[in-house]
Amino acid sequence: MVSLAPIEYRIFAPLGVLYDFLIGSFEILAILVIVAVVVFWIRRNIIRLQRFIKPEMKGWPKKDGNMILYIELVLMILFLTMNGADFKLQQMGVEYYTVAGSFPISQFITPLFDGMSASSISMIERTAWWLHIVGILCFLNYLYYSKHLHILLAFPNTYFGKIGPKGQFKNLESVTAEVKLMMDPTADPFAAPAEGASSPEKFGASDVMDLSWVQLLNSYTCTECGRCTSECPANQTGKKLSPRKIMMDTRDRLEEVGKNIDANQGEFKDDGKQLLGDYITNEEIWACTSCNACVEACPVSIDPLSIIMDMRQYLVMEKSAAPAELNNMMGNIENNGAPWPFSQMDRVNWTQEGR
Ligand code: SF4
Ligand code: SF4
């Protein structure tokens, strides 16, 4: 009988029962992927869950999400088709198609090949094999243009995720020193700074170059699932802020900077743009309540709040561009040691009232 199967066909078949177990497990995983893909597609396109139809999900993000589902569906169908045809050829006793593997799912599609010649079934089996393997290689290349890169980056991102208390903010050494000075009446304000104490060249972040590599890794790891945004109280109350958009904007700007560097022989040429202002607005940044709900909700340990806080720090410390209410409060803290507009000397006046 004619067969297109190569001589190295199923080279791991000598593993015997282990091989049967592996092939059977892959088939069960494949059918589970197909069921999951159908459910996810329905949630995105028929039920249209709120978190999938937010403004930042229009255009490419929506297409990308669906494209990934279509590719996965096709790859799994090709895998089961390949195995079903293979199983049929094994049953027919075709040369090279030695009995190997177990086919708990694809055995149900073998009737589709009834009445076909061995060479036709072999052609189907080989075609499905090649399309499946080439499809996987193409899909791996597509990952770098897609949010699906998270399937590779989720592991290192989770490993490097913040494990300290969620509400803990990092303090700036120079600011801490100033506050201590204010709190200590005996301190000498003209004393030389402690050895090793330094002030950063720039406070906070206005562009991706100011963010840490973990924050940049976060942006490439985002699955765009929207769990953070659906938990965000600012977003729920109609504010512009969406923590998912913060991560998507950071990744988009990073891509733009990368292309700029590629086009300029490894150097970044100022393009008159930055993350804050051109991608993320001040309105979004100041809408954040710093509640950490987005950080808690993220399945892959992404911290959108850290980017928001770095940008706020830039606005306050570099630009003095906080909202007026906050500026008043910060001025009061600086001058009165409290958020209220009263002198420290008047703090206990209320104890005299009514006397
Ligand atoms: S920390 Fe800010 S961005 Fe995150 S959920 Fe709370 S309000 Fe939204
Ligand atoms: S929850 Fe995490 S992965 Fe999902 S959109 Fe938000 S930041 Fe991205």
Side-chain angles (χ1 to χ4, degrees):
M1 278 184 241
V2 182
S3 164
L4 300 176
I7 204 76
E8 69 276 14
Y9 166 79
R10 290 200 183 270
I11 54 172
F12 294 112
L15 292 176
V17 178
L18 176 61
Y19 184 73
D20 294 350
F21 172 75
L22 286 175
I23 297 295
S25 308
F26 295 157
E27 287 216 344
I28 290 167
L29 281 175
I31 195 70
L32 290 177
V33 169
I34 289 175
V35 171
V37 161
V38 171
V39 171
F40 291 162
W41 188 87
I42 290 171
R43 291 198 320 166
R44 274 177 184 269
N45 299 287
I46 308 287
I47 301 174
R48 290 166 62 80
L49 291 184
Q50 271 300 310
R51 62 189 163 100
F52 292 131
I53 55 171
K54 295 274 179 187
E56 68 268 22
M57 292 307 287
K58 300 219 167 12
W60 167 249
K62 180 170 190 249
K63 282 190 198 138
D64 184 34
N66 280 330
M67 178 86 80
I68 292 160
L69 294 178
Y70 298 141
I71 295 174
E72 287 176 343
L73 184 67
V74 169
L75 287 176
M76 293 306 109
I77 289 174
L78 285 169
F79 174 71
L80 291 175
T81 305
M82 170 186 88
N83 274 3
D86 188 322
F87 187 45
K88 183 73 179 173
L89 290 162
Q90 289 184 24
Q91 289 173 327
M92 292 165 73
V94 177
E95 189 186 7
Y96 296 130
Y97 288 95
T98 48
V99 176
S102 67
F103 306 94
I105 307 299
S106 62
Q107 61 178 306
F108 296 107
I109 59 174
T110 52
L112 293 175
F113 307 114
D114 286 349
M116 287 190 192
S117 67
S119 55
S120 299
I121 302 173
S122 185
M123 177 74 82
I124 291 171
E125 190 272 333
R126 286 292 86 192
T127 305
W129 191 93
W130 275 106
L131 287 178
H132 181 251
I133 202 75
V134 170
I136 286 177
L137 290 175
C138 291
F139 192 39
L140 283 173
N141 283 285
Y142 176 72
L143 293 190
Y144 298 93
Y145 302 93
S146 152
K147 61 132 179 167
H148 211 48
L149 192 56
H150 74 260
I151 61 165
L152 300 179
L153 297 184
F155 301 100
N157 192 78
T158 307
Y159 180 78
F160 289 109
K162 185 177 160 190
I163 51 173
K166 290 243 175 347
Q168 190 175 43
F169 291 115
K170 59 179 194 267
N171 289 328
L172 282 175
E173 207 178 317
S174 51
V175 176
T176 307
E178 272 195 48
V179 171
K180 280 184 178 162
L181 204 61
M182 282 174 65
M183 306 293 285
D184 180 3
T186 63
D188 175 7
F190 304 107
E195 205 175 321
S198 62
S199 273
E201 281 179 16
K202 176 178 177 180
F203 289 101
S206 62
D207 209 345
V208 287
M209 293 75 113
D210 308 320
L211 298 174
S212 72
W213 66 268
V214 174
Q215 288 170 316
L216 302 182
L217 179 66
N218 277 186
S219 72
Y220 272 112
T221 308
C222 179
T223 69
E224 296 175 12
C225 68
R227 287 183 175 84
C228 53
T229 297
S230 59
E231 295 291 321
C232 174
N235 191 275
Q236 285 173 5
T237 50
K239 309 284 190 309
K240 268 192 172 178
L241 173 64
S242 160
R244 169 174 55 190
K245 178 176 172 291
I246 299 287
M247 302 318 300
M248 293 167 74
D249 285 344
T250 303
R251 185 176 54 204
D252 289 348
R253 173 61 180 158
L254 194 52
E255 285 284 312
E256 188 173 54
V257 168
K259 284 180 190 147
N260 180 313
I261 292 172
D262 285 345
N264 294 298
Q265 288 79 46
E267 265 189 40
F268 177 71
K269 288 260 165 66
D270 189 6
D271 58 359
K273 288 193 200 172
Q274 60 175 14
L275 181 60
L276 182 60
D278 292 297
Y279 286 82
I280 300 170
T281 61
N282 291 14
E283 186 184 343
E284 290 167 74
I285 292 298
W286 290 113
C288 177
T289 66
S290 65
C291 66
N292 264 296
C294 54
V295 187
E296 289 273 0
C298 182
V300 285
S301 300
I302 289 172
D303 186 354
L305 179 58
S306 72
I307 296 178
I308 294 171
M309 295 314 285
D310 282 355
M311 290 190 166
R312 275 190 184 176
Q313 195 174 69
Y314 171 81
L315 286 173
V316 171
M317 301 191 75
E318 296 281 342
K319 297 286 170 191
S320 301
E325 299 85 348
L326 277 178
N327 270 338
N328 289 342
M329 181 201 66
M330 288 186 284
N332 288 332
I333 289 176
E334 196 172 350
N335 298 323
N336 307 325
W340 300 284
F342 308 113
S343 161
Q344 290 186 29
M345 299 300 126
D346 297 336
R347 273 187 181 178
V348 289
N349 283 1
W350 63 277
T351 60
Q352 310 298 321
E353 280 173 17
R355 284 197 174 182

